Amino acid sequence: MQLPTSTKNKEYKHSPRGSWTAGLLTLAVSSTPALAQETLTPIDVSGERIEDPSAPVDGYIATSSRAGTKTNTPITEIPQSISVVTADQMQDQGVASVQEALRYTVGVGAEQFGLDSRGDWQSVRGGDPVIFLDGMQKTFGFYQSPRTEPYLLERIEVIRGPSSVLYGQGNVGGLVNLATKRPQAEQSTELKLQVGNHSRKQAAVDSTGALNEDGTLLYRFIALGRDSDTQVNKVEDNRVVIAPSITWRPTNQTEWTVMALHQEDRSGTTTQFLPIEGTLKPSPFGLPQIPIDLFISEPDFDRYNTKENAVTSLLSHQLNNVWTVRQSLRYSETEVDYQSIYPQFTPALKENGDIARVAYANKPNLDTLTADHQAEALFSTGNVDHTVLLGWDYQHAVSSSRRAYKADIGDLNVFNPVYGNYDRLTESDFSDTPENTVIQSGFYAQNQMTINDRWIAVLGLRHDSARNKTEGGTAFTDEEVTGRAGLMYKFSNGVTPFVSYSESFKPVTGLDAFNNPFEPLKGEQVEVGVKYQPTDSASLYTATVYDLREKNRQAPDPVNPNNQIQNGETSARGIELEAKVDVNAHWDLIANYAYTDTEVEEGNNKGARLPSIPAHTASIWSQHDLRSVGIPGLRAGAGVRYVGSSWDGTDQLKTPAETLLDAMIAYGRDNWELALNVNNLTNETYFTTCLARGDCFVGTKRTVTGTLSYRF
């Protein structure tokens, strides 16, 4: 039996059980003084509950989200834009990374810097979202956090807009929460064998079920191994993942899941930072265009190897009819060995086709402890049903690194590369960076109120303290209060309009020329939208308009070149339309469009658009089960992605738009299924962005993957 965490579809009745705790809470959370005088009624949670966000979703449409409110709430009752990518959608679209999984998600620049083996880089509403895993922060810095394997995930949730009230420091554009697969009571095992172009070979297993007769102990074991090349010469993409987990349910009120992870990646740098002249622009001196599979680095030097070991604990206990408490913990240790050689941007190509190069090495270590403690109360006051959440979360991240940089290490001819003749890094080129410790803790409170089963109000408030200390340097602390407010109205026909206001903050490390700490980045957003879920249908339609701003951005000091000043302010305004349609039992459809208008309001390049953010993006994906036309076991899908043009941050250089096609066909019989995925079907050569500093990022070329699955 799953623990109750929602008020939807429940009956309410008076009960003495839990009344004293609800009474103590009334003064703190009642929306008006009159409500404080009402008799509080615990909610009877014995009835059927809505979908558990940790449980598998059959198909493409998730009806609830825990990430949006940290409570199990229907998406149609959250006054904020939320998109969910399910495991079924990821499988049908043949994704190989988290950023690929977001290609068909509205408002997301899924592959902002093209094919990049070093990380999952995506934009949300013009900002760079922080990635969370099971509600706790996963990514810290740029090259310290290994990429998460999508085969481990049950779903990916994109929360658009500021979310600092529940999650602390973060970007104004939103966040991405990854939800891992959990142990299930029903016994099942899946074996997968996969082959593809670029010599891709992969094998995986996912097994789950009960460990004892009464079902109080459940297990899950996921393992994956991959040996593969990439579209860049001499760069591999190899991975080993082992992820066991166990769930203990001693009673109907208690659930404890412990998950372990060991992951090792052996790769290089697929991002070659190719110069603009010779890629987006014609080559100088009448030279041909640079091959996009060119390897600029050196085979005996280039690598991007990562190792991660992590343990996660997720505990939930229902105290009584009112209160449920939860605790989430994760400890993680990561090691990264990053070495690469890339072009010296100015000058770029020489007359003979040579290009000057620089060497860079970074070997960071990161140890993190994250925790989130929650107390949730369900009760009613008169005609108002409350879901109150009180929480305290904590992060402790310690990082250190060895780095090296050397310019003019030796030229490479881009049309006839000969490797091995370069100036190698020596031990004297490396230096240790001081150990950096970041500690953040935050207290938050949220009240979700449903009034007369029609009006929905969400109010939230949070206080954060973030401390940043560098070994041998000055420690500084940021204190910040953020808020959130939203209002919705549920019409009987499934239409739910909403309006919301939310805030974000993100500490900025370092000191200015006067040894004063920088102010945190601060963001705010106003959003107006409507969600529509037709009666007796799982289909979900969302339309939103938003206006967000972020201030205290850093820029070079025009008076003192050794100083940074905080005079930057940016804005993003947009429209987003998303439809996830359950047309019938044999047809799934996803369609979306986003218009994103960004601008530098104050600071350097005032009036320019933000770099790498397309103004227009759109996509549509359709998947059909062809049994309805007399071919049982056969499925087919196809999609179109349009990525609009973007700018370099100075409005001087424009990266052109691109339209890409994807396709899938699968045939299953009994417990077997054979699937073929082809992404970028026409093998378009395109660039996701080109920057003012002088380099372009190559998009993913055609990938062909065949998968044989056996389930029992």
Side-chain angles (χ1 to χ4, degrees):
M1 178 179 178
Q2 295 167 319
L3 298 181
T5 55
S6 174
T7 63
K8 186 179 180 183
N9 297 331
K10 304 297 186 294
E11 295 180 357
Y12 306 94
K13 64 182 181 181
H14 290 275
S15 169
R17 189 178 182 187
S19 297
W20 68 273
T21 51
L24 289 177
L25 194 59
T26 305
L27 294 176
V29 300
S30 294
S31 55
T32 66
L35 288 179
Q37 301 173 9
E38 298 280 358
T39 301
L40 298 185
T41 306
I43 292 174
D44 182 357
V45 293
S46 59
E48 182 181 357
R49 62 180 296 213
I50 62 171
E51 165 203 331
D52 180 358
S54 66
V57 175
D58 185 15
Y60 291 1
I61 305 174
T63 59
S64 67
S65 168
R66 185 174 295 279
T69 59
K70 287 191 176 180
T71 65
N72 191 0
T73 303
I75 293 175
T76 55
E77 297 181 10
I78 301 174
Q80 189 171 11
S81 296
I82 297 174
S83 295
V84 179
V85 181
T86 67
D88 281 352
Q89 181 182 331
M90 287 186 269
Q91 173 182 289
D92 286 352
Q93 293 176 345
V95 305
S97 65
V98 168
Q99 65 179 21
E100 288 185 11
L102 297 174
R103 286 169 169 169
Y104 287 86
T105 303
V106 67
V108 177
E111 296 167 285
Q112 191 175 16
F113 299 105
L115 179 68
D116 194 334
S117 56
R118 303 168 303 162
D120 291 307
W121 316 115
Q122 52 273 313
S123 64
V124 177
R125 291 185 173 176
D128 302 323
V130 177
I131 296 180
F132 285 72
L133 180 65
D134 296 319
M136 293 174 285
Q137 187 167 330
K138 174 67 166 62
T139 54
F140 294 83
F142 288 103
Y143 307 121
Q144 299 171 321
S145 304
R147 309 173 82 181
T148 299
E149 167 58 44
Y151 190 63
L152 300 176
L153 302 178
E154 198 64 69
R155 61 167 64 191
I156 300 174
E157 298 174 302
V158 178
I159 313 300
R160 290 186 289 278
S163 298
S164 287
V165 167
L166 293 178
Y167 293 94
Q169 57 181 307
N171 188 272
V172 66
L175 64 86
V176 176
N177 181 60
L178 314 177
T180 53
K181 295 175 178 177
R182 312 282 178 84
Q184 302 297 313
E186 183 177 351
Q187 178 67 45
S188 68
T189 299
E190 178 183 68
L191 304 176
K192 278 183 177 286
L193 296 177
Q194 197 173 81
V195 295
N197 60 339
H198 309 306
S199 302
R200 181 184 180 89
K201 300 172 288 292
Q202 180 172 295
V205 59
D206 178 4
S207 181
T208 188
L211 287 172
N212 55 5
E213 291 185 1
D214 61 4
T216 58
L217 283 176
L218 312 177
Y219 81 93
R220 193 152 195 165
F221 179 79
I222 303 174
L224 179 144
R226 180 170 66 239
D227 180 88
S228 180
D229 296 332
T230 67
Q231 69 184 40
V232 179
N233 291 332
K234 305 182 185 302
V235 177
E236 297 179 324
D237 179 22
N238 303 329
R239 170 172 289 172
V240 173
V241 178
I242 301 173
S245 57
I246 189 168
T247 293
W248 180 42
R249 293 176 177 169
T251 69
N252 290 339
Q253 290 74 40
T254 303
E255 180 173 293
W256 185 22
T257 298
V258 178
M259 302 181 290
L261 172 69
H262 173 76
Q263 178 173 321
E264 292 192 41
D265 292 354
R266 294 292 178 265
S267 183
T269 305
T270 54
T271 301
Q272 297 296 299
F273 304 97
L274 300 179
I276 292 173
E277 291 188 337
T279 53
L280 183 66
K281 292 183 177 181
S283 295
F285 316 113
L287 294 171
Q289 294 296 90
I290 299 173
I292 62 97
D293 61 355
L294 174 68
F295 180 62
I296 294 284
S297 191
E298 291 286 338
D300 64 346
F301 179 81
D302 192 85
R303 56 181 175 266
Y304 193 80
N305 299 334
T306 68
K307 181 168 68 174
E308 178 179 14
N309 292 300
V311 177
T312 302
S313 169
L314 304 172
L315 176 63
S316 178
H317 178 64
Q318 182 185 339
L319 297 174
N320 51 42
N321 280 9
V322 174
W323 288 97
T324 297
V325 293
R326 304 185 191 93
Q327 180 194 66
S328 301
L329 294 169
R330 179 184 301 115
Y331 177 74
S332 174
E333 296 178 349
T334 64
E335 300 176 7
V336 178
D337 184 4
Y338 174 27
Q339 294 189 168
S340 189
I341 296 171
Y342 54 87
Q344 181 176 301
F345 299 135
T346 305
L349 277 179
K350 301 179 181 179
E351 192 169 359
N352 63 350
D354 283 358
I355 195 167
R357 300 181 298 168
V358 300
Y360 174 76
N362 188 0
K363 304 176 185 296
N365 296 316
L366 173 67
D367 295 343
T368 61
L369 174 65
T370 55
D372 189 9
H373 303 80
Q374 303 170 12
E376 179 182 333
L378 306 179
F379 60 92
S380 62
T381 55
N383 61 349
V384 182
D385 302 327
H386 300 264
T387 300
V388 171
L389 184 70
L390 306 175
W392 173 71
D393 56 24
Y394 175 82
Q395 297 176 3
H396 188 282
V398 180
S399 61
S400 61
S401 179
R402 284 177 55 76
R403 297 180 184 176
Y405 175 87
K406 181 181 286 189
D408 299 322
I409 64 162
D411 292 357
L412 183 78
N413 190 281
V414 299
F415 306 110
N416 183 29
V418 177
Y419 301 101
N421 184 24
Y422 70 101
D423 187 8
R424 290 165 171 79
L425 294 179
T426 64
E427 187 63 28
S428 62
D429 295 314
F430 283 85
S431 61
D432 293 327
T433 62
E435 183 178 87
N436 179 253
T437 301
V438 176
I439 300 174
Q440 180 190 346
S441 64
F443 293 91
Y444 57 90
Q446 177 183 263
N447 191 1
Q448 299 169 248
M449 294 169 282
T450 302
I451 306 167
N452 293 325
D453 293 325
R454 292 297 183 190
W455 289 97
I456 299 172
V458 178
L459 301 175
L461 195 65
R462 178 188 181 100
H463 177 269
D464 267 298
S465 175
R467 186 173 187 268
N468 191 307
K469 184 179 188 332
T470 300
E471 184 180 10
T474 302
F476 59 91
T477 300
D478 286 315
E479 304 278 345
E480 195 64 37
V481 174
T482 50
R484 171 190 190 183
L487 184 65
M488 314 181 77
Y489 184 80
K490 296 170 57 178
F491 288 96
S492 57
N493 59 0
V495 174
T496 309
F498 70 91
V499 60
S500 67
Y501 171 81
S502 53
E503 298 174 332
S504 69
F505 95 105
K506 186 177 182 180
V508 178
T509 60
L511 303 173
D512 64 16
F514 304 100
N515 291 322
N516 296 317
F518 290 114
E519 292 290 323
L521 290 172
K522 296 181 180 181
E524 60 181 2
Q525 174 188 268
V526 174
E527 182 178 30
V528 178
V530 60
K531 300 181 182 184
Y532 173 51
Q533 188 168 52
T535 306
D536 300 324
S537 172
S539 298
L540 182 61
Y541 305 86
T542 306
T544 57
V545 178
Y546 66 88
D547 186 331
L548 62 82
R549 292 174 179 267
E550 188 175 51
K551 62 182 181 180
N552 292 338
R553 292 171 67 97
Q554 289 177 292
D557 188 339
V559 178
N560 180 0
N562 295 319
N563 185 37
Q564 294 275 319
I565 58 176
Q566 288 189 293
N567 68 344
E569 181 176 338
T570 62
S571 67
R573 305 173 183 88
I575 300 171
E576 294 171 346
L577 307 174
E578 182 179 49
K580 288 203 167 186
V581 188
D582 183 16
V583 182
N584 54 47
H586 311 297
W587 186 4
D588 295 299
L589 181 67
I590 301 171
N592 67 71
Y593 165 77
Y595 169 69
T596 309
D597 178 23
T598 64
E599 184 178 352
V600 178
E601 300 285 349
E602 299 291 343
N604 287 6
N605 301 313
K606 182 178 179 179
R609 285 155 283 203
L610 294 180
S612 313
I613 307 299
H616 301 275
T617 57
S619 65
I620 184 170
W621 170 269
S622 181
Q623 189 270 155
H624 298 259
D625 185 333
L626 299 178
R627 73 180 68 183
S628 60
V629 294
I631 314 177
L634 186 65
R635 298 185 299 116
V640 180
R641 292 178 278 136
Y642 173 78
V643 182
S645 58
S646 62
W647 295 85
D648 63 344
T650 65
D651 278 7
Q652 300 299 310
L653 182 68
K654 183 179 182 180
T655 303
E658 190 61 58
T659 300
L660 304 166
L661 305 178
D662 305 319
M664 176 275 291
I665 188 167
Y667 177 73
R669 186 166 184 175
D670 298 326
N671 296 335
W672 297 88
E673 184 174 77
L674 181 63
L676 178 68
N677 287 90
V678 184
N679 292 325
N680 190 357
L681 184 66
T682 56
N683 202 26
E684 298 293 325
T685 296
Y686 67 103
F687 303 99
T688 58
T689 187
C690 296
L691 300 178
R693 68 190 187 187
D695 56 334
C696 285
F697 295 80
V698 181
T700 305
K701 295 282 287 181
R702 179 166 55 211
T703 59
V704 181
T705 308
T707 305
L708 178 64
S709 303
Y710 178 64
R711 301 177 181 89
F712 60 94

